[in-house]
Amino acid sequence: MVDISIGNNIINGLAVIIFLTTFVIVAHTRLHPWVNTYAIQSLALGLLGAAVAYFTNSPHIYLVAALTIVIKAFVIPRFLEYTMNRINVNKEVEMMLNVPASLLVAGGLAIISYFITEPIIAHGSAITKNCLAISIAVVLIGFFIMISRRKAITQIMGLMVMENGLFLAAISTSYGMPLIVELGVFFDILVGVLIMGIFAFQINRTFDTVDTGILRRLRD
């Protein structure tokens, strides 16, 4: 017989790892650790999906969990590293806010997420109910990463963090979307990252920079 309390601890522990890696991404000022941390976050997300599949008897989530690990934890990080090496992007992340201020904003977004979801969590009975607040926090922090970073490649990373949060929300609220929808989403994500990487390469080759702050001046 499956011990639900053990499943609860495993799922909550993996959700905490996802949450903490989001803060690590916010705190990092170098690009390669960003990519490695994103890979760790995606690996934890895939393992969480496998745990949900096992403890809720939802076998279709196993395939999604496997795709998450292969695509998000290995394929996409390797492609991002390849893109960064090709465009010779600076290793330092240029931020509109310094690290302490960024962490304060991320912490505030996490608190807001908790207060938004607290009534739902209090009356919920699902094994993944505690993941809902974390998923919303990851989405909001991912959006904050997008708007507070100047490099196009780091804005791509913010988008990927947001997508991890949305995937966690889908698992925590309904134990995943229909399989065909999830496979379509994975394909869209992979193609989207490839296209954004190509755009970043072309922008760097044309303007010798991927700093979106400088590129905005072109509209004048």
Side-chain angles (χ1 to χ4, degrees):
M1 182 179 295
V2 177
D3 191 334
I4 297 300
S5 64
I6 294 178
N8 227 346
N9 292 334
I10 293 174
I11 290 172
N12 289 339
L14 290 170
V16 169
I17 292 174
I18 295 170
F19 182 66
L20 292 179
T21 50
T22 307
F23 276 84
V24 173
I25 291 174
V26 172
H28 269 313
T29 59
R30 300 177 69 84
L31 285 171
H32 286 288
W34 267 47
V35 175
N36 294 333
T37 305
Y38 170 77
I40 294 171
Q41 183 184 78
S42 299
L43 178 61
L45 184 62
L47 294 175
L48 187 147
V52 171
Y54 177 77
F55 290 105
T56 63
N57 194 25
S58 304
H60 73 280
I61 302 181
Y62 281 119
L63 177 58
V64 178
L67 287 173
T68 299
I69 293 173
V70 172
I71 294 177
K72 294 185 179 181
F74 292 99
V75 176
I76 289 177
R78 299 291 80 78
F79 175 76
L80 289 175
E81 287 187 347
Y82 171 79
T83 302
M84 287 188 295
N85 291 332
R86 284 296 302 272
I87 66 179
N88 230 357
V89 69
N90 293 331
K91 294 183 179 181
E92 292 293 330
V93 177
E94 295 184 28
M95 301 183 291
M96 297 180 183
L97 295 176
N98 58 27
V99 172
S102 296
L103 288 174
L104 284 175
V105 172
L109 294 174
I111 293 172
I112 292 172
S113 302
Y114 172 78
F115 279 107
I116 291 174
T117 58
E118 196 276 333
I120 301 174
I121 295 173
H123 296 91
S125 59
I127 193 173
T128 55
K129 66 177 183 179
N130 293 323
C131 298
L132 183 59
I134 291 177
S135 66
I136 294 178
V138 172
V139 170
L140 293 177
I141 295 172
F143 182 70
F144 169 69
I145 291 171
M146 285 187 66
I147 64 176
S148 64
R149 302 304 190 263
R150 298 175 64 93
K151 296 291 187 183
I153 198 75
T154 56
Q155 293 173 355
I156 294 173
M157 185 66 66
L159 180 63
M160 300 307 300
V161 171
M162 284 182 65
E163 198 284 325
N164 275 353
L166 292 173
F167 183 81
L168 179 59
I171 292 179
S172 62
T173 55
S174 61
Y175 300 148
M177 298 172 287
L179 181 59
I180 188 65
V181 176
E182 291 174 333
L183 293 178
V185 170
F186 273 110
F187 179 75
D188 289 342
I189 292 167
L190 184 58
V191 172
V193 171
L194 292 175
I195 292 173
M196 287 185 289
I198 293 170
F199 277 156
F201 175 74
Q202 292 295 337
I203 290 170
N204 184 75
R205 189 172 68 174
T206 304
F207 300 106
D208 293 325
T209 182
V210 286
D211 188 332
T212 56
I214 295 176
L215 295 178
R216 288 193 192 99
R217 300 174 190 170
L218 295 176
R219 65 187 178 187
D220 298 329

